[in-house]
Amino acid sequence: MGNTKVLHRNEEQDKEIEIFTEFDQMGLPDELLRGIYAWGLRRPTPVQQQAIVPFMRGKDLMIKTTPGKGKSPAWAIAVLSSINPAINELQSVTLCPTRELVLGSLDMLNNLSAYMPNIRNISVMGGTPMSDDITTTRRGGQVLVGTPMRFLQVMLNEALDPTTIKILVLDELDKLLDMGYKEDLRDIISALSENAQLCAFMGDITPECEAFSQRCMRDPVCLQIKLEMPGIQQFYVECGSDGKQEALCNLITKMGDAQMIIFCNSRAHLDLLSNRLRQENRSVSVLHAAQTSLEQEENLKPFRSGSIQFLVATRLVTRHRSMAHNAKIFIQFDLPDEFETYAARLAPDNWDGKPLTVISFVAGEDDMRVLKGIKKFYTTQITALPPDFDPAVLVPKQAY
């Protein structure tokens, strides 16, 4: 049938899990496959290989995986293949801990369903007028993504019928529970029909997650996906905090015309670095949270086309997976505040194992401690970049 069966071991017992190594082996609608490939996905990541088909078969799922593993496309593809486009009623709800995740998820859903004309994706979240969310929800749509409290408020305002919802996805359940949404989630689940399917993704299966699954799920399939980075070269450059810009400019000079995505932790660092690069007559686009979606898309276009060499961005860039087709080199100018962000920045949701180079800048002892933590967290090797490195070795021969 084109798929391989392997044994997946969890803490309780060995379970035989089917692994589907190609999207066209999964029984997905042709229109959805077209959207998948048009968005830039080529081959499914491990979480997509293992989770999509059980999800489509109606199983409750508990999935432990780190950000950047392709978890969002996993649930989005499964949702879009499971709903009935001919029925204009709410059929699937995904709840996320932050507005950023909601916006990124909505953008992803719209891209994946671009060739499914009868699908309408909507969002509700805090920070927007309640009246707008109520109007949006009453107007109809099959797929909704939102934050828990706002969704509960919209539901309590009778802007939707919770009994039509047949799928509930909890993205980053561990964070949702840590943020105090346990009672909100219970209230939402209790309003659904008894046959509603529940799927939860988390970075860690905490005792709270275990208790939640025992209370709310029916014999869930449990998957634990380890992060693997085949084909990714990882290096670091030591420099003083005052010398990071100089070190980056020296690196850029050696690397020639290779396109790069450069990550900063703050808007202030982004502005300083992008201004410095422009002063050296470098072609630069920027991407940050203060921009509108339209502004972000306009800034990404020249990078995708290859007319811009450098994209300087905050973590928000992980919403825009399709840009990774042109990216050969990822620079962690600022090491991330959270270990999970290291992989999330690499945008491997549509990465299919082609060569990729990551270079992290380490400024002082605190950064070195963070780097050691990242290496331990991912069980991976990140080696010092030799001063006399060969640029041809760092620039992957195959671009995205």
Side-chain angles (χ1 to χ4, degrees):
M1 297 296 293
N3 57 291
T4 304
K5 290 187 177 181
V6 299
L7 284 179
H8 168 81
R9 180 182 294 276
N10 61 24
E11 295 178 357
E12 298 176 356
Q13 60 183 355
D14 283 334
K15 291 186 177 181
E16 193 168 86
I17 301 296
E18 291 179 286
I19 295 180
F20 294 81
T21 57
E22 301 291 342
F23 287 114
D24 57 11
Q25 299 167 350
M26 297 179 181
L28 302 172
D30 290 342
E31 297 84 355
L32 178 55
L33 281 171
R34 188 180 176 190
I36 288 169
Y37 294 130
W39 194 47
L41 302 184
R42 293 294 177 260
R43 292 195 300 268
T45 64
V47 66
Q48 294 160 13
Q49 293 173 10
Q50 298 181 44
I52 290 175
V53 172
F55 193 132
M56 291 166 55
R57 291 173 178 168
K59 301 288 188 181
D60 283 6
L61 296 175
M62 285 271 291
I63 302 173
K64 176 184 176 182
T65 184
T66 54
K69 285 293 295 174
K71 65 178 177 66
S72 296
W75 64 253
I77 290 169
V79 162
L80 291 170
S81 65
S82 301
I83 62 173
N84 186 345
I87 301 176
N88 186 27
E89 64 183 18
L90 187 59
Q91 300 173 48
S92 174
V93 171
T94 297
L95 300 177
C96 307
T98 66
R99 282 174 48 87
E100 179 182 321
L101 278 174
V102 170
L103 290 169
S105 297
L106 183 64
D107 178 72
M108 171 189 62
L109 285 163
N110 287 334
N111 278 283
L112 291 173
S113 63
Y115 301 98
M116 305 174 75
N118 295 322
I119 295 293
R120 183 165 184 261
N121 307 299
I122 61 176
S123 65
V124 298
M125 58 190 150
T128 59
M130 172 72 74
S131 58
D132 289 353
D133 284 346
I134 290 174
T135 300
T136 296
T137 308
R138 285 178 173 162
R139 193 175 295 139
Q142 298 95 343
V143 181
L144 181 147
V145 59
T147 49
M149 185 175 294
R150 176 53 60 90
F151 176 75
L152 181 60
Q153 292 170 334
V154 170
M155 187 179 76
L156 293 176
N157 273 276
E158 299 183 350
L160 58 90
D161 178 3
T163 63
T164 68
I165 300 168
K166 62 179 186 178
I167 298 170
L168 176 65
V169 178
L170 303 177
D171 196 0
E172 301 192 10
L173 174 61
D174 49 339
K175 291 187 178 180
L176 289 170
L177 296 177
D178 285 345
M179 294 169 69
Y181 287 123
K182 180 171 69 174
E183 295 304 322
D184 291 337
L185 296 178
R186 286 182 176 177
D187 289 344
I188 291 168
I189 291 171
S190 65
L192 307 181
S193 68
E194 292 184 0
N195 297 323
Q197 179 185 5
L198 183 57
C199 179
F201 291 85
M202 62 216 73
D204 187 21
I205 302 180
T206 63
E208 291 79 12
C209 292
E210 287 277 11
F212 185 88
S213 68
Q214 291 173 8
R215 178 185 177 95
C216 301
M217 291 183 163
R218 298 166 306 202
D219 189 25
V221 174
C222 297
L223 302 174
Q224 298 194 39
I225 313 297
K226 294 182 179 180
L227 181 68
E228 298 177 355
M229 296 185 179
I232 299 183
Q233 300 183 99
Q234 299 176 85
F235 301 96
Y236 69 90
V237 175
E238 282 195 81
C239 55
S241 58
D242 295 333
K244 287 174 72 175
Q245 288 191 14
E246 288 297 330
L248 176 62
C249 290
N250 290 337
L251 176 70
I252 286 172
T253 299
K254 291 182 180 180
M255 296 302 295
D257 60 358
Q259 276 196 304
M260 302 182 189
I261 300 177
I262 305 172
F263 290 102
C264 300
N265 285 347
S266 69
R267 171 72 184 278
H269 283 191
L270 179 147
D271 289 341
L272 287 171
L273 182 58
S274 58
N275 288 337
R276 171 65 185 273
L277 293 175
R278 290 184 179 115
Q279 288 171 6
E280 298 199 357
N281 296 318
R282 309 284 187 180
S283 57
V284 182
S285 282
V286 298
L287 200 67
H288 54 76
Q291 296 167 331
T292 66
S293 296
L294 181 60
E295 289 171 334
Q296 292 167 11
E297 188 62 30
E298 288 300 312
N299 284 349
L300 278 172
K301 283 181 180 178
F303 185 79
R304 289 195 187 105
S305 70
S307 61
I308 292 291
Q309 186 177 3
F310 303 102
L311 179 65
V312 185
T314 65
R315 184 182 177 182
L316 188 70
V317 78
T318 58
R319 288 173 48 193
H320 299 275
R321 302 294 185 182
S322 57
M323 68 171 191
H325 289 292
N326 296 332
K328 300 178 181 180
I329 299 174
F330 288 69
I331 303 293
Q332 309 255 13
F333 185 75
D334 293 328
L335 285 171
D337 297 324
E338 298 178 346
F339 294 155
E340 293 91 340
T341 306
Y342 180 84
R345 282 175 168 178
L346 306 186
D349 281 357
N350 58 1
W351 176 63
D352 57 7
K354 292 180 181 178
L356 176 68
T357 297
V358 184
I359 302 173
S360 300
F361 282 74
V362 177
E365 295 181 359
D366 288 344
D367 274 358
M368 184 57 72
R369 280 193 290 270
V370 172
L371 185 73
K372 290 179 179 178
I374 290 171
K375 292 164 68 175
K376 182 177 180 181
F377 184 82
Y378 292 110
T379 317
T380 191
Q381 293 296 316
I382 306 175
T383 57
L385 183 66
D388 58 347
F389 71 89
D390 180 359
V393 174
L394 294 191
V395 179
K397 294 181 181 180
Q398 290 177 286
Y400 283 83

